[in-house]
Amino acid sequence: MSLDPKSVILAAFKAVDNADAEALLDMMADDITQIDEISKKWSRGKAEVAAVVRPMFDLVKSIKSSISDVHVQTSNDIAIVTFMLDQSYVFEGQQVAIVAPTSCVLRQEKGVWKFVLIHTMPFADA
């Protein structure tokens, strides 16, 4: 039985918190596009995303993620999931805490929801 889109999001952030790059990458479609606050750039395609994600877990430690205000909209084989991401981690020896509105698009491939877009950028510090 495949996971529903919200459960896929929760599983992805569990993989992030566990610094499990391979589990996270397994949840992504080959044509994934993503942006994040560490790389500050778009990564397109699974190989490019992997080149960002794998080394990220060497730089970022003690990740703790919490999501709230989750909204899932599905239509056929596409799901749009929006939520607030509260996350803390250690980066280059410094404790970081972010609040980031996040949007993900998932597509069903052979009955399994896969990420095709991950867009998360934190609010600027006031």
Side-chain angles (χ1 to χ4, degrees):
M1 183 166 105
S2 76
L3 298 175
D4 62 276
K6 182 178 178 180
S7 296
V8 171
I9 300 294
L10 295 171
F13 281 98
K14 182 177 180 182
V16 168
D17 289 354
N18 291 331
D20 188 345
E22 298 314 310
L24 186 60
L25 291 166
D26 284 347
M27 296 179 199
M28 297 178 184
D30 288 341
D31 58 345
I32 178 75
T33 299
Q34 72 100 32
I35 189 169
D36 63 87
E37 78 277 5
I38 303 282
S39 68
K40 294 182 172 64
K41 67 179 187 99
W42 286 104
S43 300
R44 295 180 177 91
K46 200 169 197 175
E48 204 172 292
V49 171
V52 169
V53 168
R54 287 186 179 118
M56 178 184 65
F57 289 127
D58 292 331
L59 301 172
V60 180
K61 303 296 181 196
S62 303
I63 306 167
K64 292 182 179 55
S65 306
S66 174
I67 66 170
S68 61
D69 191 23
V70 180
H71 179 77
V72 178
Q73 183 177 345
T74 58
S75 178
N76 299 320
D77 62 347
I78 297 291
I80 300 169
V81 185
T82 56
F83 54 94
M84 293 302 294
L85 170 64
D86 289 281
Q87 193 174 63
S88 63
Y89 52 87
V90 176
F91 179 66
E92 297 181 338
Q94 299 294 315
Q95 184 68 38
V96 177
I98 64 164
V99 175
T102 302
S103 304
C104 297
V105 177
L106 295 93
R107 179 179 60 224
Q108 272 197 330
E109 294 183 356
K110 299 179 183 173
V112 176
W113 289 104
K114 298 276 190 168
F115 287 94
V116 292
L117 174 69
I118 302 171
H119 182 266
T120 183
M121 292 300 294
F123 289 125
D125 290 334

